Amino acid sequence: MNRIKLFDTTLRDGEQSPGVSLNIQEKLEIARQLAKLNIDVIEAGFPVISPGDFAATRAIAENISGPVICGLARANKNDIDKAWEALKPAPKKRIHTFIATSDIHMKYKLQLEPREVIERAVEAVKYARQFTEDVEFSAEDATRSNREFLCRILSEVIAAGATTLNIPDTVGYITPREFAGLIRYLKENVKGIDRVTLSVHCHNDLGLAVANSLAAIQEGVTQIEGTINGIGERAGNTALEEVIMALNTRKDVFQCKTEAVTQRIYRISRLVSTLTGMPIQPNKAIVGSNAFAHESGIHQDGMLKNPTTYEIMRPEDIGLKRSKLVMGKHSGRHALNERLQELGYQLSPEELDKIFTRFKNLADQKKEITDQDLEALMQDEMFSNQEYCKLVSFQIISGNQITPTATVKLEKDGVILEEAACGDGPVDAIYKAIDRIIGVNNNLLEYNLKGVSGGTDALGEVSVKIENGVGVFIGRGLSTDILAASANAYVNAVNKLIQAQNHKTQETAIKKGEI
Ligand code: KIV
Ligand code: ZN
């Protein structure tokens, strides 16, 4: 069995998905879960791009051990210095430097001659090697590059010290058979290619990212780059969970294995979806809510007789339990702790007290509490910051014959503030009342409501995306009352916006020498 290394770029390329922005605490939690999934390399960020990216990469380098922590850098000294500075505390680290190699990119984007591109690539790799022995080089837009030129530049960066060569299909253009041919060609024509790890990085514009990655594996590539749930620029990147399960399920075809702990897949997929505010389509392979659901009578009959009739993977393999009912209002603190431990949460006594109180409140409203409910509660507890203002209460007058009106009370700096507003619907009225109290302009870009489990008493999970000049902020709220979930999600997003605004004001004051 060939060993395939998994390189996860959820926190870098994945975060480049339109409208996604994660804070440090959220990135750290995703990195922790990636480490538990046993990913080989975590691309933590692009440190030169923003102070936030630098700080997140640094925090991951400081706190996550196990996987190699990688930082992206264009092929110049300043980017590489910044990447190294952020990565320094990591026990295992990699600098990933890249430059575009296609005629289109060299001519229009870089405005450089091919010879200059080679010089920059070689210089960058040599410079990065002064810091670490682990240097990856990517030839951006490799699949639309001239093959002879690609061989030249790749041969030269190997001679300069690159230890991993990555072949990106940056615009998701290539098809599996062509990609296999390209990899074969490179293996035959790039000098020293046997000494380095050969990697691919595919985008999904034609829906071929996973198929292309698997075709490359069949030609001997040993590192696959991708993201959880396939999130990323435009149509996204290779969905790593799909590659992992394809290799696992079809060992007979691929003769390859990864070191991934597949039972962690479901959990990290949910986490990434919640934190990025990007819902997973129900029919998504491996992690969609229908991926293991059997609707037709013939299929159900087959499943009851023997699950292998219609199931090529077991839900347990990705960490999805078949039994849905786990707890109810008679369950105690000890039972809750045991169940949470089984789900992978280690809580301090104080944390357990808090979650137990929420669990009991939920059990009063909802008869059966499932694993999904517990996961949703845990995520809400970890990420629902209400630092600057806190929802105290709200009241709604609504109906099909009257104008919806909301009265909202928020606590801000220890003071209770109250406002009322009318709206097109109850949610609109609540949000307008909150806007009046906070007095911060923003646009609501997205509002999503999802039932965590089935039934009219289900927990409702609301995620909202708001935007103002400072950035895009995602807020989440969870409650059996969808208006309460909606109000909390908005307050959560507004808190992040105020936090970012305060940081910006502080940075400006520091620059001006006022602090
Ligand atoms: O898609 C791409 O080419 C990239 C590189 C930076 C690896 O993301
Ligand atoms: Zn990419």
Side-chain angles (χ1 to χ4, degrees):
M1 288 273 167
N2 286 327
R3 160 93 154 85
I4 303 295
K5 289 188 212 158
L6 298 168
F7 177 115
D8 180 277
T9 181
T10 306
L11 299 174
R12 198 277 299 169
D13 224 343
E15 214 217 4
Q16 286 173 221
S17 306
V20 169
S21 108
L22 298 164
N23 63 30
I24 294 191
Q25 192 202 359
E26 293 166 337
K27 286 188 179 179
L28 254 177
E29 184 54 25
I30 292 176
R32 261 186 217 115
Q33 294 304 324
L34 287 170
K36 288 189 175 159
L37 178 61
N38 213 13
I39 287 295
D40 298 282
V41 186
I42 297 176
E43 187 159 62
F46 193 170
V48 80
I49 227 69
S50 72
D53 246 56
F54 181 91
T57 309
R58 178 90 186 186
I60 291 168
E62 277 166 351
N63 291 289
I64 306 296
S65 57
V68 173
I69 308 299
C70 172
L72 186 66
R74 282 165 300 194
N76 68 60
K77 287 187 176 170
N78 184 40
D79 277 32
I80 294 171
D81 285 340
K82 267 271 167 349
W84 181 247
E85 192 56 35
L87 292 171
K88 245 190 229 160
K92 293 189 264 173
K93 40 209 164 240
R94 170 179 300 182
I95 295 175
H96 177 191
T97 185
F98 73 100
I99 193 161
T101 53
S102 64
D103 289 347
I104 305 176
H105 278 234
M106 290 192 289
K107 182 168 172 198
Y108 296 107
K109 187 180 83 173
L110 299 176
Q111 297 179 335
L112 290 174
E113 290 299 322
R115 175 186 44 78
E116 294 171 294
V117 170
I118 295 186
E119 277 165 18
R120 286 200 188 189
V122 166
E123 236 178 79
V125 168
K126 280 189 180 155
Y127 188 66
R129 275 301 300 254
Q130 294 179 355
F131 299 113
T132 170
E133 286 181 359
D134 192 345
V135 174
E136 172 165 335
F137 174 79
S138 283
E140 192 191 5
D141 206 16
T143 54
R144 292 193 302 167
S145 301
N146 172 288
R147 284 189 174 194
E148 285 79 42
F149 178 68
L150 197 54
C151 284
R152 258 182 63 207
I153 193 165
L154 293 177
S155 304
E156 298 228 16
V157 294
I158 293 176
T163 45
T164 299
L165 281 193
N166 184 36
I167 314 300
D169 183 28
T170 304
V171 290
Y173 179 71
I174 208 157
T175 61
R177 199 186 282 196
E178 275 178 297
F179 204 30
L182 174 63
I183 300 296
R184 215 174 305 133
Y185 179 85
L186 294 176
K187 289 195 89 169
E188 282 162 9
N189 293 287
V190 173
K191 269 195 226 120
I193 200 160
D194 294 336
R195 296 205 304 270
V196 300
T197 298
L198 192 56
S199 166
V200 293
H201 171 115
C202 297
H203 280 265
N204 205 29
D205 299 66
L206 294 174
L208 294 172
V210 170
N212 284 333
S213 304
L214 294 173
I217 285 177
Q218 291 185 302
E219 291 301 326
V221 154
T222 53
Q223 176 179 286
I224 296 297
E225 303 197 357
T227 59
I228 300 298
N229 300 338
I231 66 169
E233 286 266 5
R234 306 181 310 277
N237 290 56
T238 299
L240 275 187
E241 69 280 3
E242 292 181 23
V243 171
I244 294 168
M245 291 313 288
L247 296 182
N248 219 25
T249 310
R250 298 306 311 272
K251 289 195 187 85
D252 55 329
V253 172
F254 295 105
Q255 302 286 327
C256 288
K257 63 170 185 145
T258 70
E259 292 293 314
V261 179
T262 62
Q263 293 77 6
R264 310 286 315 184
I265 286 177
Y266 179 71
R267 166 100 179 266
I268 191 162
S269 161
R270 284 266 323 168
L271 180 75
V272 168
S273 169
T274 307
L275 296 187
T276 56
M278 291 184 76
I280 302 168
Q281 76 197 56
N283 59 328
K284 158 94 177 58
I286 317 295
V287 289
S289 55
N290 290 349
F292 293 95
H294 301 273
E295 181 69 20
S296 94
I298 296 173
H299 286 208
Q300 287 176 350
D301 179 55
M303 282 291 295
L304 287 172
K305 288 176 175 148
N306 185 334
T308 58
T309 47
Y310 286 102
E311 241 173 36
I312 57 165
M313 297 164 275
R314 296 176 315 151
E316 293 89 327
D317 294 339
I318 64 153
L320 197 57
K321 301 279 179 304
R322 275 184 208 267
S323 74
K324 282 195 175 159
L325 175 65
V326 286
M327 315 213 74
K329 75 182 203 183
H330 300 294
S331 310
R333 199 170 179 278
H334 182 68
L336 175 67
N337 195 23
E338 289 226 327
R339 190 72 206 116
L340 287 173
Q341 278 180 4
E342 278 168 26
L343 292 173
Y345 294 98
Q346 300 294 337
L347 302 187
S348 67
E350 299 75 45
E351 288 167 336
L352 182 61
D353 282 346
K354 267 174 125 182
I355 206 75
F356 186 59
T357 308
R358 291 192 67 177
F359 166 77
K360 280 288 175 187
N361 289 338
L362 180 61
D364 275 341
Q365 292 155 356
K366 190 174 185 293
K367 208 165 141 234
E368 299 171 348
I369 298 185
T370 63
D371 283 352
Q372 283 105 316
D373 293 327
L374 292 179
E375 296 263 8
L377 268 188
M378 284 303 301
Q379 286 178 12
D380 192 57
E381 193 56 38
M382 283 196 276
F383 299 107
S384 65
N385 106 35
Q386 298 213 335
E387 207 178 319
Y388 295 93
C389 56
K390 196 169 180 258
L391 180 69
V392 178
S393 65
F394 68 90
Q395 260 179 30
I396 283 286
I397 303 169
S398 184
N400 61 349
Q401 300 285 338
I402 53 168
T403 305
T405 312
T407 309
V408 177
K409 275 189 196 164
L410 293 186
E411 186 189 316
K412 205 170 159 237
D413 303 324
V415 181
I416 303 289
L417 302 164
E418 184 172 349
E419 277 290 351
C422 297
D424 287 340
V427 174
D428 188 41
I430 292 174
Y431 288 8
K432 285 193 169 128
I434 294 173
D435 283 345
R436 283 194 179 158
I437 299 176
I438 302 291
V440 177
N441 283 337
N442 73 77
N443 295 323
L444 180 68
L445 297 180
E446 264 180 41
Y447 171 94
N448 286 301
L449 165 64
K450 192 176 92 189
V452 171
S453 47
T456 49
D457 63 354
L459 271 175
E461 197 175 58
V462 172
S463 103
V464 295
K465 238 175 237 179
I466 62 171
E467 181 260 333
N468 78 347
V470 183
V472 174
F473 304 92
I474 298 165
R476 289 171 300 275
L478 185 74
S479 172
T480 48
D481 174 341
I482 56 173
L483 292 177
S486 303
N488 274 315
Y490 196 62
V491 172
N492 183 217
V494 166
N495 267 300
K496 289 182 179 172
L497 188 155
I498 298 174
Q499 192 175 23
Q501 253 176 357
N502 289 353
H503 273 163
K504 210 171 164 189
T505 318
Q506 229 177 2
E507 270 173 25
T508 319
I510 291 170
K511 273 188 200 146
K512 283 187 185 161
E514 290 167 6
I515 296 182

XYZ file of all heavy atoms in Angstrom, residues 266 289-290 292-294 315-316 320-328 339 343 359 366-375 451-455:
277
model
N -17.128 13.264 10.130
C -18.443 13.904 10.257
C -18.348 15.142 11.160
O -18.864 16.210 10.853
C -19.460 12.893 10.824
C -20.816 13.511 11.000
C -21.581 13.835 9.884
C -21.311 13.802 12.263
C -22.826 14.432 10.034
C -22.552 14.398 12.424
C -23.292 14.706 11.306
O -24.514 15.310 11.446
N -26.511 15.214 4.424
C -27.458 14.569 5.347
C -28.159 13.370 4.704
O -28.704 12.523 5.394
C -28.481 15.594 5.843
O -29.108 16.191 4.725
N -28.166 13.296 3.374
C -28.791 12.135 2.722
C -27.791 11.032 2.366
O -28.178 10.015 1.787
C -29.474 12.567 1.406
C -30.705 13.400 1.671
O -31.170 13.480 2.810
N -31.228 14.028 0.634
N -26.351 8.739 3.813
C -26.615 7.385 4.309
C -28.114 7.150 4.519
O -28.507 6.276 5.285
C -25.847 7.144 5.619
C -24.354 7.118 5.422
C -23.592 8.265 5.618
C -23.709 5.959 5.020
C -22.223 8.258 5.418
C -22.341 5.935 4.814
C -21.585 7.089 5.010
N -28.948 7.973 3.854
C -30.394 7.825 4.023
C -30.936 6.962 2.892
O -30.497 7.088 1.750
C -31.053 9.194 4.008
N -31.883 6.105 3.203
C -32.447 5.215 2.171
C -33.938 5.449 2.105
O -34.654 5.209 3.059
C -32.123 3.753 2.509
C -30.649 3.530 2.591
N -29.881 3.233 1.499
C -29.796 3.629 3.640
C -28.619 3.132 1.869
N -28.541 3.370 3.167
N -21.985 4.275 8.051
C -22.002 5.614 8.641
C -21.008 5.744 9.794
O -20.385 6.792 9.986
C -23.440 5.799 9.127
C -24.190 4.570 8.780
C -23.311 3.654 7.995
N -20.837 4.618 10.540
C -19.894 4.650 11.676
C -18.485 4.977 11.199
O -17.683 5.546 11.944
C -19.834 3.285 12.382
C -21.093 2.865 13.091
C -22.040 2.083 12.176
O -22.079 2.373 10.945
O -22.750 1.215 12.686
N -20.586 8.757 12.200
C -22.021 9.018 12.306
C -22.651 7.820 12.991
O -22.502 6.699 12.525
C -22.574 9.179 10.891
C -23.914 9.827 10.684
C -23.944 11.220 11.285
C -24.192 9.921 9.179
N -23.350 8.092 14.108
C -23.945 6.967 14.848
C -25.288 6.601 14.226
O -26.067 7.468 13.863
C -24.169 7.370 16.315
C -22.910 7.781 17.039
C -22.137 6.561 17.507
C -20.850 6.915 18.212
N -19.915 7.731 17.472
N -25.573 5.296 14.159
C -26.874 4.880 13.638
C -27.982 5.219 14.618
O -29.045 5.663 14.251
C -26.891 3.382 13.381
C -26.321 3.018 12.029
C -26.454 1.542 11.797
N -25.400 1.092 10.905
C -25.535 1.001 9.587
N -26.639 1.333 9.014
N -24.537 0.588 8.842
N -27.727 5.001 15.912
C -28.789 5.268 16.891
C -28.861 6.764 17.116
O -27.855 7.414 17.364
C -28.484 4.578 18.208
O -27.465 5.259 18.874
N -30.080 7.314 16.981
C -30.199 8.752 17.087
C -30.484 9.192 18.519
O -30.005 10.207 18.975
C -31.313 9.238 16.179
C -30.894 9.299 14.732
C -31.878 10.102 13.981
C -31.420 10.297 12.538
N -32.552 10.630 11.712
N -31.314 8.416 19.226
C -31.730 8.835 20.557
C -30.601 8.606 21.544
O -30.116 7.497 21.677
C -32.950 8.013 20.976
C -33.444 8.252 22.391
C -33.957 9.666 22.537
C -34.521 7.250 22.728
N -30.153 9.650 22.200
C -29.101 9.422 23.180
C -29.517 9.822 24.586
O -29.232 9.116 25.537
C -27.774 10.111 22.817
C -27.080 9.398 21.708
C -27.943 11.566 22.519
N -30.187 10.936 24.744
C -30.443 11.402 26.101
C -31.808 12.068 26.218
O -32.420 12.416 25.221
C -29.378 12.425 26.489
C -27.987 11.990 26.121
S -26.772 12.565 27.257
C -27.042 11.552 28.627
N -32.233 12.266 27.451
C -33.505 12.947 27.703
C -33.437 13.690 29.025
O -32.361 13.787 29.615
N -21.285 10.854 27.500
C -21.673 10.941 26.084
C -20.789 11.965 25.351
O -20.347 11.736 24.231
C -23.155 11.355 25.988
C -23.715 11.250 24.623
C -23.910 9.800 24.216
N -23.865 9.640 22.763
C -22.935 8.942 22.116
N -21.975 8.334 22.777
N -22.971 8.843 20.814
N -18.144 11.619 22.235
C -18.165 12.460 21.028
C -16.852 13.220 20.851
O -16.692 14.000 19.923
C -19.322 13.464 21.100
C -20.733 12.875 21.009
C -21.786 13.933 21.272
C -20.972 12.246 19.636
N -28.166 21.869 28.725
C -28.744 20.575 28.354
C -30.095 20.376 29.061
O -31.084 19.963 28.462
C -27.746 19.470 28.740
C -28.331 18.096 28.734
C -28.553 17.433 27.536
C -28.664 17.459 29.927
C -29.093 16.158 27.525
C -29.210 16.188 29.923
C -29.422 15.537 28.723
N -37.483 19.815 24.744
C -37.355 18.843 23.658
C -37.199 17.465 24.282
O -36.314 17.261 25.113
C -36.074 19.222 22.882
C -35.877 18.517 21.607
C -34.656 19.106 20.889
C -34.505 18.476 19.531
N -34.166 17.080 19.553
N -38.045 16.524 23.848
C -38.094 15.228 24.534
C -36.809 14.410 24.325
O -36.217 13.905 25.262
C -39.289 14.449 23.994
C -39.853 13.489 24.992
C -41.221 13.026 24.550
C -41.348 11.554 24.874
N -41.717 10.738 23.760
N -36.405 14.319 23.076
C -35.264 13.455 22.765
C -34.078 14.312 22.335
O -34.202 15.123 21.423
C -35.629 12.512 21.610
C -36.795 11.606 21.937
C -37.261 10.844 20.705
O -36.834 11.192 19.585
O -38.050 9.911 20.887
N -32.956 14.108 22.999
C -31.769 14.898 22.617
C -30.768 13.988 21.909
O -30.302 12.998 22.469
C -31.167 15.581 23.854
C -32.234 16.529 24.405
C -29.895 16.331 23.492
C -31.808 17.360 25.536
N -30.484 14.341 20.670
C -29.625 13.491 19.830
C -28.163 13.957 19.911
O -27.872 15.032 20.442
C -30.061 13.592 18.354
O -29.856 14.949 17.943
C -31.513 13.232 18.166
N -27.287 13.149 19.324
C -25.874 13.548 19.251
C -25.718 14.869 18.497
O -24.900 15.706 18.851
C -25.063 12.479 18.505
C -24.793 11.280 19.392
O -25.100 11.358 20.596
O -24.282 10.278 18.875
N -26.521 15.039 17.438
C -26.443 16.297 16.669
C -26.794 17.488 17.552
O -26.178 18.538 17.468
C -27.387 16.290 15.466
C -26.871 15.477 14.307
C -27.620 14.179 14.207
O -27.849 13.515 15.226
N -27.989 13.811 13.012
N -27.811 17.295 18.439
C -28.180 18.391 19.351
C -27.005 18.718 20.277
O -26.688 19.879 20.518
C -29.391 17.997 20.214
C -30.656 17.843 19.384
O -30.801 18.576 18.390
O -31.494 16.998 19.745
N -26.366 17.649 20.789
C -25.248 17.882 21.725
C -24.089 18.591 21.021
O -23.489 19.520 21.561
C -24.758 16.560 22.323
C -25.737 15.849 23.274
C -25.131 14.550 23.781
C -26.100 16.740 24.461
N -23.798 18.152 19.798
C -22.724 18.810 19.022
C -23.063 20.283 18.808
O -22.215 21.153 18.946
C -22.566 18.149 17.643
C -22.123 16.709 17.685
C -20.639 16.547 17.488
O -19.924 17.557 17.469
O -20.197 15.382 17.367
N -32.932 23.140 10.764
C -33.301 22.319 11.916
C -32.162 21.359 12.204
O -31.687 20.686 11.287
N -31.702 21.292 13.471
C -30.566 20.417 13.781
C -30.977 18.951 13.670
O -30.255 18.117 13.163
C -30.012 20.734 15.194
C -28.985 19.703 15.628
C -29.419 22.128 15.214
N -32.157 18.629 14.195
C -32.680 17.265 14.018
C -34.147 17.405 13.623
O -34.650 18.512 13.534
C -32.501 16.463 15.313
O -32.946 17.230 16.400
N -34.837 16.305 13.421
C -36.227 16.385 12.951
C -37.220 16.740 14.047
O -36.855 16.879 15.213
N -38.506 16.942 13.672
C -39.565 17.181 14.656
C -39.846 18.655 14.865
O -38.986 19.509 14.621
